[in-house]
Amino acid sequence: AWLYQVVLRSPATHALVSVDPSGHVVGFIAVTSDMHTLERTINQAMTWRRLTAIVVFLFFHPGAAIEALNRIRFTHYMKKKYPPIFPAILTLGVDPNVQKSGQGSELVALAVKICAAEKLSVLYVDTKVENNGARKFYEKVGFIQLAVVVGNVLFAKPLAN
C-alpha cells in the first residue's frame, strides 16, 4: 500500500478514473510525466523495514522474485536506451463488464492530453509479451511497438504539441 501512496502523491503522477452514470468506477489510469523521477521518489521512500519485507516476500514467492528481477533488468534497459525524461503509463484497468466500450481508449486519450499539455513529445507503456489483449489495445490506440525486452513489450506513442 505504501508504494501506491508514494506513486500517487508524486507531483509527476496523474491518476484518472472513469465513472459510469450510476457513479461506479469502471476504469482507471495512472500516468507519470517522468518515470525516472518517480523511480527516485520511490527509492527515497524506501526504508530498511520496507526493503526487508520485500526481500522476505520475494524469498517465499520465487515467481514474484523472477518477475521483480526481470522488471529491474527492463528498467535498466530503458534508462540506457531512452531519454532522461520518460513519460509512461503506469497502470490501466477497465472493469471486464465494460471492456471494449471505449472506456480504456478515453482514459488513454486523457493521459495523452495531459502529457501533451506538459510539452512532452512521446508517451511510453509496456506490457507482458503474453498479454495479447493489452498489446492489441495499445496498437489500436496508436502506440507503436519499439522493443521486446526481458518478457516485456515496450510501446511509444508520439504526441502532437
Side-chain angles (χ1 to χ4, degrees), residues 92-108:
L92 170 65
V94 175
D95 182 326
N97 295 320
V98 297
Q99 286 180 353
K100 300 193 188 290
S101 70
Q103 299 292 328
S105 298
E106 286 180 29
L107 288 166
V108 170

Side-chain angles (χ1 to χ4, degrees), residues 58-107:
L58 294 176
F59 179 78
F60 288 105
H61 298 88
I66 291 167
E67 289 293 319
L69 290 172
N70 284 343
R71 190 72 198 171
I72 290 167
R73 290 171 56 204
F74 181 73
T75 303
H76 180 70
Y77 168 82
M78 289 189 317
K79 279 184 179 177
K80 286 174 48 178
K81 182 101 172 147
Y82 295 97
I85 295 181
F86 191 87
I89 293 174
L90 302 170
T91 188
L92 170 65
V94 175
D95 182 326
N97 295 320
V98 297
Q99 286 180 353
K100 300 193 188 290
S101 70
Q103 299 292 328
S105 298
E106 286 180 29
L107 288 166

